[in-house]
């Protein structure tokens, strides 16, 4: 199993709407495309700094990820969601992770 981990930074005032869009629009688009929704986490907006939201998706391997990406770009909902959510973020990263041999999540 492999995981794509998106970590996005934003102004604390945008976090509630960002999370709403992830739940209402990203999860349906990504899961319909074939990705498994693993989790979504956020940092506190009360620390006087940007909020980070971490979203994790699972897939078998990079061959399957390429199919998921193709399915997403063929889905008009992907572009609608991406345009809305891009306005809320100030930065972020996308990384691909594989569990270590001793990890319980294999």
């Amino acid at each position: 199993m492999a995981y794509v981990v998106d970590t996005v930074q934003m102004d604390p005032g945008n976090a509630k709407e960002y999370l709403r869009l992830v739940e209402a629009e990203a999860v349906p688009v990504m899961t319909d495309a074939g990705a498994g929704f693993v989790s979504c986490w956020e940092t506190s907006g009360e620390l006087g700094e940007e909020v980070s939201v971490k979203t994790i998706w699972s897939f078998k391997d990079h061959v399957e990820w390429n199919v998921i990406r193709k399915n997403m770009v063929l889905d008009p909902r992907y572009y609608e969601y991406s345009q809305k959510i891009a306005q809320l973020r100030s930065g972020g990263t996308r990384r691909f992770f594989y569990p270590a041999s001793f990890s319980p999540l294999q």
Side-chain angles (χ1 to χ4, degrees):
M1 188 66 63
Y3 300 88
V4 62
V5 179
D6 294 323
T7 304
V8 177
Q9 286 77 41
M10 70 204 66
D11 182 91
N14 291 337
K16 184 176 180 178
E17 178 63 6
Y18 187 91
L19 290 169
R20 186 194 73 74
L21 287 169
V22 168
E23 181 179 17
E25 298 188 28
V27 171
V29 168
M30 293 285 289
T31 57
D32 287 352
F37 177 64
V38 176
S39 65
C40 184
W41 296 69
E42 68 175 313
T43 59
S44 174
E46 299 178 12
L47 300 175
E49 59 190 31
E50 286 191 310
V51 168
S52 291
V53 174
K54 185 176 299 282
T55 310
I56 304 172
W57 308 91
S58 65
F59 52 97
K60 181 180 174 185
D61 53 28
H62 280 282
V63 172
E64 184 176 63
W65 178 249
N66 285 333
V67 172
I68 292 166
R69 284 184 5 174
K70 174 193 64 92
N71 293 341
M72 285 189 307
V73 299
L74 294 175
D75 187 337
R77 299 175 301 166
Y78 173 73
Y79 297 99
E80 294 168 16
Y81 151 74
S82 296
Q83 186 177 28
K84 292 176 194 174
I85 214 158
Q87 298 172 18
L88 302 174
R89 55 187 286 166
S90 59
T93 61
R94 169 169 276 182
R95 300 287 185 261
F96 292 87
F97 287 89
Y98 293 84
S101 62
F102 57 87
S103 176
L105 293 176
Q106 295 278 344

